[in-house]
Structure formats: structure tokens, C-alpha cells
């Protein structure tokens, strides 16, 4: 039993490392798409589409790595993640649509950018996770 | 759900970290189970019971209000 537990812990470390690597690669590819498209190949739509497709594929790999790590978590950790994800999904939908509506009905003087929603999701997820962890301490 | 994991663990001289490693969960999970804030799954409850050579009912006390 000890061997299988040690194996499980080592698989978990490996899954965490893989997620870190795929996240870093995906972020780098995002930078490649944006800065490459604006500064290096502004006239080549073919390269723009190619790098964008690469970015999406790498994003999918990152999602799969996250799913793989999720399977390696223990029952409490899964519950914490699930609750944080539920809050993030729910609040992002409600707040995101409200924010978009502000733009549609001209209550804000600027465009409702998706980057703000992504930031909101990251902050919501982090805060939810911290609160949930405190609850079970 | 109440349990006597903390007492059994202390008898053996183990830390939460030791028990967590032996069971294959995180230290936070052991802490939450000991404090009754989180009810373990059946496989985890069996692993704990087997480790302490007790029955599940000998370690965990279930009451309807839990």
C-alpha cells in the first residue's frame, strides 16, 4: 500500500509540473500571437491564423493537463476546487453579462473588453479557493 | 461526523503529515477530518481503519444531525 501511495504522490507532482509547463507554453503562445501579429508579421494573415490555431491547440493541452491534475487530487482538494470553479463560473456569467450590458446600453464610456472578464475570473477563482481552504482549516 | 483519529494518531506518535502520507491524502484533509469539518469517502475511511487496525464504526461516530 505504501508503494502505491508514494506512486500516487509522485504522479501528482508530475501532473502539477505538466500543468505548469503547458500553462507557460500557452501564455508564451498568446504573446506570440499578439506581438507577432502586431509587430513581426502584420501583413501575413496566414501566419496570424497559423499561430492562433497553435495557441488554441496549446490551450486545449493546458486544459487536459488541468483535468489530469484534478484526477490526482484527494477528495477534499477536489471539493475545494469544485466549489471555487462553481463560484467562478456563476459569478463570471452574471457579472460578465451585467458588464457587457453596461456597454450595450452606453452606461460606460469604453468598450467592455474580454480581458477584464478573464482578470475577474482569475481573481474570483483565487479568492474562492482561499476562502474555501480557510473554511476547512 | 465525530471521530477519534486524533487520539489514535497521538497514541502512535504520528503527526498529521505522517498520517496523510500513510493514507495518501493531503495534511489539510487529515486536519479537516480530525476536526469533523469534512467527512471522508468510504475508501479513505477504510484505509484509516485498516491502518489503525480498527473497524470504521470503532473510529467514526455517525449521528443523524451530522
Amino acid at each position: 500500500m505504501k508503494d502505491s501511495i508514494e506512486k500516487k504522490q509522485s504522479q501528482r507532482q508530475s501532473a502539477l509540473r505538466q500543468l505548469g509547463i503547458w500553462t507557460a507554453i500557452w501564455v508564451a503562445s498568446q504573446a506570440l500571437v499578439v506581438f507577432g501579429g502586431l509587430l513581426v508579421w502584420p501583413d501575413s494573415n496566414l501566419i496570424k491564423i497559423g499561430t492562433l490555431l497553435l495557441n488554441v491547440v496549446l490551450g486545449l493541452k493546458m486544459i487536459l493537463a488541468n483535468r489530469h491534475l484534478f484526477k490526482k487530487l484527494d477528495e477534499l482538494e477536489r471539493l475545494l476546487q469544485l466549489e471555487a470553479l462553481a463560484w467562478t463560473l456563476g459569478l463570471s456569467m452574471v457579472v460578465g453579462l451585467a458588464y457587457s450590458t453596461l456597454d450595450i446600453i452606453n452606461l460606460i464610456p469604453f468598450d467592455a473588453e474580454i480581458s477584464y472578464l478573464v482578470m475577474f475570473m482569475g481573481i474570483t477563482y483565487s479568492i474562492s479557493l482561499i476562502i474555501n481552504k480557510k473554511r476547512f482549516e | 461526523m465525530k471521530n477519534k483519529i486524533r487520539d489514535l494518531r497521538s497514541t502512535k506518535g504520528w503527526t498529521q503529515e505522517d498520517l496523510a502520507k500513510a493514507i495518501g491524502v493531503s495534511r489539510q484533509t487529515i486536519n479537516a477530518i480530525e476536526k469533523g469539518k469534512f467527512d471522508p469517502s468510504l475508501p479513505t475511511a477504510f484505509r484509516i481503519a485498516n491502518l489503525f487496525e480498527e473497524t470504521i464504526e470503532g473510529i467514526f461516530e455517525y449521528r443523524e444531525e451530522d
Side-chain angles (χ1 to χ4, degrees):
Chain A
M1 191 170 93
K2 199 179 170 191
D3 283 350
S4 80
I5 288 166
E6 278 175 7
K7 193 177 165 192
K8 221 167 130 182
Q9 281 171 342
S10 132
Q11 284 175 342
R12 189 188 143 132
Q13 287 299 318
S14 159
L16 188 63
R17 215 172 19 251
Q18 279 178 34
L19 176 61
I21 291 168
W22 282 113
T23 305
I25 292 172
W26 175 70
V27 170
S29 77
Q30 184 70 32
L32 181 78
V33 174
V34 175
F35 296 116
L38 287 174
L39 307 171
V40 187
W41 47 81
D43 302 322
S44 174
N45 283 345
L46 195 66
I47 299 177
K48 283 180 186 174
I49 291 168
T51 51
L52 195 60
L53 283 174
L54 179 71
N55 172 250
V56 171
V57 170
L58 292 171
L60 290 174
K61 288 291 288 182
M62 179 186 69
I63 293 167
L64 289 174
N66 197 20
R67 183 170 167 264
H68 182 60
L69 174 65
F70 205 87
K71 286 180 176 175
K72 304 289 174 201
L73 298 177
D74 74 29
E75 52 215 71
L76 178 61
E77 290 169 324
R78 277 189 202 177
L79 178 72
L80 297 178
Q81 291 288 336
L82 196 66
E83 289 200 13
L85 290 170
W87 276 107
T88 305
L89 179 66
L91 281 172
S92 299
M93 200 168 75
V94 172
V95 175
L97 281 175
Y99 180 55
S100 166
T101 307
L102 285 177
D103 185 16
I104 292 167
I105 60 176
N106 296 319
L107 274 176
I108 48 173
F110 49 86
D111 289 336
E113 298 285 345
I114 194 152
S115 54
Y116 291 118
L117 181 63
V118 174
M119 276 192 282
F120 176 80
M121 288 173 81
I123 293 166
T124 307
Y125 174 73
S126 304
I127 292 173
S128 306
L129 206 55
I130 290 166
I131 292 172
N132 275 335
K133 281 190 171 190
K134 289 269 175 215
R135 266 177 56 207
F136 287 98
E137 268 176 10
Chain B
M1 195 157 61
K2 280 189 172 181
N3 63 75
K4 54 178 190 181
I5 295 174
R6 187 187 296 267
D7 295 338
L8 291 166
R9 180 172 61 75
S10 301
T11 309
K12 296 256 186 192
W14 292 344
T15 62
Q16 287 186 340
E17 191 71 46
D18 295 333
L19 181 58
K21 277 184 183 165
I23 300 298
V25 297
S26 65
R27 191 205 59 78
Q28 188 193 9
T29 301
I30 294 295
N31 184 50
I33 294 171
E34 279 189 358
K35 288 184 174 173
K37 290 184 175 181
F38 177 69
D39 295 336
S41 65
L42 203 50
T44 301
F46 267 113
R47 270 189 228 119
I48 293 170
N50 288 342
L51 191 70
F52 290 118
E53 295 173 332
E54 290 255 2
T55 59
I56 288 182
E57 311 90 281
I59 296 178
F60 296 96
E61 182 191 337
Y62 177 73
R63 284 178 302 178
E64 204 54 51
E65 63 266 28
D66 291 334

